[in-house]
Amino acid sequence: MIDPVRNNKRQEIKMLNRKLLEISGVLNVESFDSEEFLLETEMGYLMIKGQNLHIKNLSLEQGLVAIEGLVNELAYVDGNSQEKSKGFLGKLFK
């Protein structure tokens, strides 16, 4: 298992009142709609679920994303979990 502290990667997630989410360490925006975002980050794939979600600011050069809307859930998608990865791949190739 990779130790996030040892590989010198850093990610910061700030949330204000469940309405504004600022994330650093973002490598790519894999998919998004008004209810779900899937971001590739330095710490793994991050899934964000909510309502009326939209990108407020995006700078992949700096690895920064700001998302507005009502945030209900943040979860890292673990590639070791068969059940989650099937759901993840199913949504990705839908």
Side-chain angles (χ1 to χ4, degrees):
M1 184 172 186
I2 297 173
D3 184 0
V5 176
R6 289 188 184 178
N7 64 14
N8 294 327
K9 294 180 182 176
R10 179 183 167 126
Q11 182 168 50
E12 188 172 306
I13 299 175
K14 294 181 190 178
M15 186 171 6
L16 179 63
N17 296 330
R18 291 180 60 187
K19 293 181 182 176
L20 176 62
L21 191 61
E22 296 176 348
I23 306 165
S24 68
V26 176
L27 303 174
N28 194 20
V29 177
E30 292 292 326
S31 66
F32 68 94
D33 61 31
S34 66
E35 295 181 350
E36 184 176 295
F37 274 68
L38 181 62
L39 308 176
E40 180 184 2
T41 75
E42 292 186 4
M43 298 291 142
Y45 285 93
L46 178 62
M47 183 174 51
I48 300 150
K49 290 187 177 183
Q51 298 169 349
N52 299 319
L53 299 177
H54 61 276
I55 294 175
K56 178 181 179 184
N57 191 8
L58 173 64
S59 174
L60 291 179
E61 294 82 23
Q62 296 177 345
L64 301 172
V65 173
I67 298 171
E68 284 185 320
L70 180 62
V71 177
N72 293 329
E73 180 181 348
L74 296 173
Y76 284 94
V77 180
D78 184 5
N80 295 330
S81 171
Q82 292 293 334
E83 192 171 312
K84 283 189 178 182
S85 64
K86 282 183 186 175
F88 161 71
L89 290 176
K91 288 182 181 181
L92 188 62
F93 294 109
K94 204 172 196 181

